[in-house]
Amino acid sequence: MAFESFSAFIQMGKHGFYVWLSYGVGLLAFAAIWGHCLFTRAKIVAGVKDLEARRQRRKTTQQTERVL
């Protein structure tokens, strides 16, 4: 093992604060990007459903007008 104890591993030779801070910032950035992707996907799916419903309503309206 490269470190003598778990405490030495956490301290990383007095660089632990920067090492773990960089891991935390990277993880936070990854989580933010992932959340943004999920939010954007939900908006796109809702938009497509809305567009499809609008097309269906137009189609139904046009068919009704032909009958009249």
Side-chain angles (χ1 to χ4, degrees):
M1 189 161 120
F3 296 100
E4 298 166 3
S5 66
F6 186 71
S7 178
F9 172 71
I10 296 296
Q11 292 175 1
M12 297 266 179
K14 297 186 181 178
H15 298 287
F17 175 74
Y18 304 107
V19 171
W20 297 114
L21 182 64
S22 65
Y23 273 110
V25 169
L27 185 62
L28 183 65
F30 178 74
I33 291 170
W34 185 60
H36 181 267
C37 288
L38 290 177
F39 176 73
T40 303
R41 181 184 182 279
K43 281 179 57 175
I44 290 171
V45 168
V48 168
K49 286 181 181 179
D50 185 44
L51 179 63
E52 193 60 36
R54 198 175 316 140
R55 284 182 180 168
Q56 187 62 33
R57 284 193 307 267
R58 278 186 78 189
K59 186 177 179 181
T60 304
T61 303
Q62 287 174 352
Q63 289 174 354
T64 306
E65 288 176 353
R66 287 183 191 159
V67 171
L68 296 177

